[in-house]
Amino acid sequence: MGRSCITFAPGHISGYFKRIDGISVQTTGSLGAGIVIDKGVTVEMHEACKTRIQIGDDHTDDWLIREVLSSLDVTADVRVTVDMPIGAGFGMSAAGLLAAYSAANCVFGLGLTPEDIAAAAHEVEVAHGTGLGDVAAATGGGLVVRTHPGISGVTTRFYPEEEFWTISFGGISTHDVITSHEKMQQVAAAFPEREPTSLAEFMENSASFTEKSGLMPPDLIPVLAACKAAGIPASMTMLGNGVFAVGPAAENVLKQFGEPILLHVSRSGPVILEENHV
């Protein structure tokens, strides 16, 4: 039967961010704040002579997972379950990378530390333009404030009990946005000056950033307007064509525009759900 492992890593909704270009991949990333969510990516990995990757019920290949296995020089049979839309501002690529590196570490006894796993995942994200700060945030749980780029940039984590609701109209190309010098200048100008010390302040910062950054898709204008009219804190899922909003009353407002999804703040980062070394 061979060795196998099942891991889970949480996603991350970024409320606002600012790209920082360092002298290396590890010092390149972003500042900002976001919420680590209780939905993410589950990876079931078995050692195998040949790599095979399956996502959900179809047989789509995932180049990010293949990149993980290739970088570690291992082959495996991998099944990936993704809880949220990919490329829609829910940090699924970071979650997938963290879950895959954690699973490979478990199956092949690689001896990687959590820091090693985070550094490897961050490097793939930055190198391929799929994200800047999601990995650093999703190494733990909570509402996360990052004041330095890279995996050691997290300053504070706090754990709001409130529920969140989100609605997604699809993806935005993260790569196209974060590699555009013009867009990154506009984003930097919109970056909030104060660091949030509460959920309310985080949502205020995020809403202000959404308005000023020039990143908001037209689909979101009526959704955010409806939330504002109802007194519900809401903002854009960075970077995705979606909205996240706080509190139970958010569900009914978002229902007018689609199918809302319930989220809670994750209490932890990547975890091993099951391991078998027979």
Side-chain angles (χ1 to χ4, degrees):
M1 183 174 168
R3 293 170 295 182
S4 65
C5 189
I6 303 174
T7 56
F8 170 82
H12 174 249
I13 296 174
S14 184
Y16 57 93
F17 71 98
K18 177 167 66 176
R19 182 181 178 115
I20 301 293
D21 287 296
I23 57 171
S24 68
V25 172
Q26 292 304 331
T27 55
T28 295
S30 67
L31 318 183
I35 304 159
V36 183
I37 57 176
D38 60 349
K39 294 186 184 295
V41 176
T42 303
V43 169
E44 181 177 351
M45 186 178 293
H46 301 261
E47 61 177 340
C49 298
K50 185 179 178 184
T51 291
R52 187 176 76 95
I53 301 165
Q54 184 176 335
I55 302 177
D57 294 325
D58 59 21
H59 290 269
T60 308
D61 202 340
D62 187 322
W63 65 269
L64 273 180
I65 306 296
R66 197 168 286 277
E67 182 86 11
V68 170
L69 299 176
S70 174
S71 71
L72 297 172
D73 196 25
V74 296
T75 53
D77 194 330
V78 186
R79 186 177 182 93
V80 183
T81 305
V82 183
D83 293 337
M84 300 294 284
I86 296 170
F90 298 110
M92 291 297 104
S93 58
L97 287 164
L98 286 168
Y101 272 113
S102 298
N105 188 45
C106 173
V107 169
F108 298 101
L110 301 176
L112 301 175
T113 65
E115 291 74 24
D116 293 335
I117 289 169
H122 178 75
E123 184 166 340
V124 174
E125 278 251 277
V126 172
H128 293 281
T130 57
L132 290 170
D134 289 328
V135 167
T139 56
L143 197 165
V144 185
V145 180
R146 295 172 290 106
T147 56
H148 298 90
I151 61 165
S152 59
V154 174
T155 305
T156 54
R157 294 182 189 269
F158 45 99
Y159 299 85
E161 296 291 340
E162 288 88 342
E163 65 186 41
F164 291 78
W165 290 88
T166 187
I167 188 169
S168 177
F169 301 104
I172 291 176
S173 173
T174 300
H175 179 274
D176 290 351
V177 174
I178 67 176
T179 57
S180 163
H181 180 67
E182 184 183 346
K183 283 192 171 75
M184 287 301 95
Q185 280 188 314
Q186 197 169 355
V187 161
F191 192 80
E193 289 181 9
R194 66 173 182 177
E195 289 176 28
T197 57
S198 66
L199 175 61
E201 288 180 0
F202 164 71
M203 293 306 296
E204 286 169 15
N205 281 2
S206 299
S208 170
F209 178 81
T210 294
E211 288 176 16
K212 296 174 183 175
S213 65
L215 297 174
M216 182 166 58
D219 289 341
L220 306 190
I221 296 171
V223 185
L224 290 172
C227 288
K228 191 171 185 178
I232 293 165
S235 192
M236 172 182 167
T237 57
M238 295 287 167
L239 282 159
N241 193 2
V243 166
F244 67 105
V246 180
E251 181 185 13
N252 282 334
V253 175
L254 295 182
K255 261 184 186 172
Q256 302 169 53
F257 304 95
E259 190 63 41
I261 299 168
L262 175 63
L263 299 172
H264 295 91
V265 175
S266 177
R267 312 305 290 187
S268 69
V271 291
I272 295 172
L273 301 177
E274 187 179 311
E275 56 184 311
N276 180 2
H277 290 285
V278 174

